[in-house]
C-alpha cells in the first residue's frame, strides 16, 4: 500500500493524522498496513483508493479486499465513509456504476450533510445557476486598473465610424456555404450537456455544455470566417509541424522539448472587451470587428430540465462550444501570448 500523509498538532486538541492512500489492484489489503496507519495519531483520516469493493461502499459487487475491510472494522475500531451513490461510470457500457475512493476514520466525528434535489425545478435551478456563474466575468482585484483601461479603449474605438467596409458576399458563395453544411447534425436552436465520463453525475461541473446553433447561425458564422481570418489549420497540420521540429532536432543532434497545456474552460472564460481589443490590435477590418462585437453582445440562455424551463439568464463572457467561429476568435484572443524566438 502506498501512503502519503501529515500529522497536525493543534493546541488543546489531539493530534490529527490525514493520510492519502492507494492500493493498486491486484494487491491484497493487509491488516498490518491498516493498523500502522491508524496508529499515526489520536485521530486519523485515511482516504483514497483502497481497492476494496463492497456493497456497503456503493459497489455493484463484493471482492476479497472489500469483505476483509468490513471484517477488520470492529477489530481495528474505525469507520467506513463512502458516497451514498456510485461515483464512477465506466466507458464500457456493460460495466455497472461503482465507487473508487472511500475514507476510513478513527477518533474523528465528521458532520456530513447530504442534500438531494427533489424535483425537476430544483435540478434546473441548480444547473442554471452554475451556468450563469460560468458565464459571468469575475474581475481579479489585482487587475481592475488594466480591465478598466481596456474596456474604456474598446468603447472609444468601437464608437467611431468604421474606416473601411466589407465586400458583399456573392449569392454563389452563400449557396456553396449552404451546401457545405452537414445535414446530419442537429439544427438547433438548442444546447445539450454531455456528461464527462468517470465523473459524478450529480455535480453541474461534470457536464460539458455544447451549443447547437440554428442553420442560419451556422451559415452566418461561415460567412464571417471568409473575412480577415486565415484558413483553419487543422490538428494534423500542427502534428506534422511538431514532427518536423523533432526530426530536425534528431538531424542536428539537439534535444527537443514539448510542453502541452490543457486549459480548463478555455471558451467559457473569453472576456469580450479583451477579445475586441485583440481583434483591433490584429488590424482586422473595422466593420468585421463591429459585427463580431454585436454578434457576441446581449446573449442569453434559458435552461430546461425535463418539462421545466427557467427564465432567461445573461451571458457576459465566453464563446460557445460547438461554434465554427469560436476556435478562430479564441486564437485571436490568445494571440499576444509571448512566444520564444525559436522552436514551435
Amino acid at each position: 500500500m502506498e501512503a502519503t500523509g501529515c500529522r497536525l498538532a493543534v493546541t488543546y486538541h489531539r493530534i490529527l493524522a490525514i493520510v492519502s492512500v492507494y492500493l493498486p489492484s491486484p494487491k491484497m489489503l493487509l491488516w498490518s498496513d491498516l493498523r500502522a496507519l491508524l496508529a499515526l495519531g489520536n485521530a486519523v483520516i485515511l482516504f483514497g483508493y483502497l481497492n476494496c469493493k463492497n456493497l456497503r461502499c456503493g459497489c455493484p459487487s463484493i471482492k476479497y479486499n472489500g469483505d476483509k475491510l468490513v471484517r477488520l472494522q470492529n477489530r481495528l475500531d474505525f469507520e467506513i465513509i463512502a458516497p451514498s451513490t456510485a461515483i464512477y461510470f465506466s466507458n464500457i457500457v456493460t460495466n455497472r456504476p461503482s465507487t473508487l475512493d472511500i475514507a476510513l476514520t478513527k477518533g474523528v466525528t465528521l458532520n456530513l450533510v447530504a442534500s438531494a434535489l427533489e424535483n425537476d425545478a430544483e435540478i434546473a435551478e441548480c444547473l442554471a445557476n452554475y451556468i450563469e456563474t460560468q458565464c459571468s466575468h469575475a474581475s481579479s482585484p489585482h487587475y481592475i486598473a488594466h480591465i478598466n483601461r481596456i474596456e474604456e479603449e474598446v468603447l472609444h474605438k468601437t464608437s467611431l465610424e468604421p474606416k473601411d467596409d466589407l465586400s458583399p458576399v456573392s449569392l454563389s458563395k452563400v449557396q456553396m456555404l449552404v451546401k457545405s453544411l452537414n445535414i446530419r447534425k442537429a439544427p438547433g436552436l438548442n444546447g445539450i450537456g454531455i456528461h464527462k465520463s468517470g465523473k459524478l453525475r450529480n455535480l453541474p461541473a461534470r457536464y460539458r455544455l455544447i451549443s447547437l446553433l440554428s442553420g442560419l447561425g451556422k451559415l452566418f458564422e461561415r460567412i464571417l470566417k471568409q473575412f480577415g481570418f486565415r484558413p483553419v489549420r487543422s490538428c494534423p497540420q500542427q502534428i506534422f509541424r511538431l514532427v518536423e521540429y523533432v526530426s530536425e532536432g534528431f538531424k542536428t543532434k539537439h534535444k527537443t522539448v514539448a510542453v502541452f497545456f490543457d486549459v480548463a474552460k478555455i471558451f467559457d472564460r473569453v472576456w469580450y472587451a479583451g477579445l475586441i481589443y485583440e481583434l483591433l490590435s490584429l488590424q482586422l477590418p473595422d466593420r468585421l470587428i463591429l459585427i463580431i462585437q454585436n454578434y457576441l453582445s446581449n446573449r442569453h440562455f434559458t435552461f430546461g430540465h425535463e418539462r421545466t424551463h427557467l427564465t432567461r439568464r445573461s451571458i457576459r463572457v465566453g464563446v460557445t462550444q460547438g461554434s465554427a467561429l469560436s476556435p478562430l476568435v479564441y486564437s485571436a484572443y490568445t494571440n499576444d501570448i509571448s512566444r520564444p524566438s525559436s522552436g514551435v
Side-chain angles (χ1 to χ4, degrees), residues 102-334:
I102 61 173
L104 308 181
T105 64
K106 182 175 183 178
V108 177
T109 301
L110 298 179
N111 295 321
L112 302 177
V113 179
S115 60
L117 301 177
E118 297 180 352
N119 53 53
D120 293 339
E122 290 182 354
I123 295 173
E125 186 73 23
C126 175
L127 292 172
N129 289 339
Y130 171 77
I131 297 171
E132 187 175 26
T133 301
Q134 293 300 307
C135 298
S136 300
H137 181 52
S139 304
S140 169
H142 303 290
Y143 303 106
I144 291 295
H146 171 73
I147 291 171
N148 291 339
R149 180 182 66 82
I150 295 297
E151 290 182 343
E152 289 176 4
E153 186 171 340
V154 167
L155 180 62
H156 169 69
K157 289 185 176 181
T158 54
S159 64
L160 301 176
E161 190 69 22
K163 298 178 182 178
D164 47 33
D165 212 336
L166 301 176
S167 302
V169 181
S170 65
L171 177 60
S172 59
K173 187 67 175 180
V174 174
Q175 290 174 335
M176 185 189 71
L177 292 174
V178 169
K179 292 178 180 179
S180 69
L181 294 175
N182 190 344
I183 62 175
R184 299 177 64 89
K185 289 189 175 181
L189 292 167
N190 211 334
I192 55 175
I194 299 178
H195 177 250
K196 299 177 182 178
S197 178
K199 305 293 185 179
L200 282 169
R201 289 184 179 271
N202 58 345
L203 294 179
R206 301 316 187 199
Y207 290 83
R208 181 177 291 107
L209 300 174
I210 305 296
S211 297
L212 304 181
L213 297 179
S214 66
L216 187 60
K218 293 175 183 177
L219 178 61
F220 181 68
E221 289 198 352
R222 287 174 182 265
I223 292 174
L224 286 182
K225 287 171 62 178
Q226 309 301 311
F227 301 101
F229 290 107
R230 293 182 299 174
V232 179
R233 292 187 175 180
S234 64
C235 185
Q237 287 177 304
Q238 299 299 335
I239 294 174
F240 292 148
R241 185 182 177 205
L242 176 61
V243 171
E244 182 182 350
Y245 274 103
V246 174
S247 301
E248 187 65 27
F250 283 143
K251 292 177 183 178
T252 57
K253 300 185 182 300
H254 285 91
K255 295 180 180 178
T256 303
V257 178
V259 179
F260 300 92
F261 292 95
D262 182 7
V263 184
K265 304 183 184 304
I266 57 173
F267 287 174
D268 298 342
R269 308 306 299 167
V270 172
W271 171 36
Y272 291 154
L275 170 62
I276 301 303
Y277 180 86
E278 292 299 335
L279 295 179
L280 290 167
S281 301
L282 291 171
Q283 298 183 341
L284 266 65
D286 294 344
R287 185 75 66 180
L288 176 62
I289 294 175
L290 291 175
I291 291 174
I292 293 175
Q293 183 184 42
N294 290 331
Y295 184 59
L296 296 176
S297 300
N298 298 319
R299 287 189 164 190
H300 300 84
F301 75 91
T302 58
F303 189 86
H305 177 74
E306 300 296 340
R307 298 182 180 180
T308 302
H309 292 274
L310 302 178
T311 56
R312 293 199 312 170
R313 308 291 183 93
S314 297
I315 300 177
R316 296 180 177 87
V317 296
V319 292
T320 53
Q321 296 272 0
S323 163
L325 196 62
S326 295
L328 292 174
V329 296
Y330 182 78
S331 295
Y333 183 63
T334 57

Side-chain angles (χ1 to χ4, degrees), residues 35-163:
R35 183 184 64 174
L37 291 173
L38 292 171
L40 289 174
N42 306 109
V44 180
I45 300 176
L46 310 180
F47 65 93
Y49 179 66
L50 287 165
N51 189 25
C52 293
K53 292 189 176 182
N54 191 290
L55 298 177
R56 289 179 53 183
C57 300
C59 300
S61 60
I62 186 169
K63 297 294 180 69
Y64 173 81
N65 280 351
D67 180 60
K68 186 174 183 179
L69 182 69
V70 173
R71 288 188 281 111
L72 289 175
Q73 183 175 4
N74 291 332
R75 186 175 177 183
L76 295 176
D77 189 26
F78 62 83
E79 297 294 329
I80 301 174
I81 298 177
S84 57
T85 58
I87 61 171
Y88 175 75
F89 300 86
S90 173
N91 288 325
I92 304 173
V93 295
T94 54
N95 289 357
R96 289 179 290 175
S98 185
T99 296
L100 295 181
D101 299 338
I102 61 173
L104 308 181
T105 64
K106 182 175 183 178
V108 177
T109 301
L110 298 179
N111 295 321
L112 302 177
V113 179
S115 60
L117 301 177
E118 297 180 352
N119 53 53
D120 293 339
E122 290 182 354
I123 295 173
E125 186 73 23
C126 175
L127 292 172
N129 289 339
Y130 171 77
I131 297 171
E132 187 175 26
T133 301
Q134 293 300 307
C135 298
S136 300
H137 181 52
S139 304
S140 169
H142 303 290
Y143 303 106
I144 291 295
H146 171 73
I147 291 171
N148 291 339
R149 180 182 66 82
I150 295 297
E151 290 182 343
E152 289 176 4
E153 186 171 340
V154 167
L155 180 62
H156 169 69
K157 289 185 176 181
T158 54
S159 64
L160 301 176
E161 190 69 22
K163 298 178 182 178

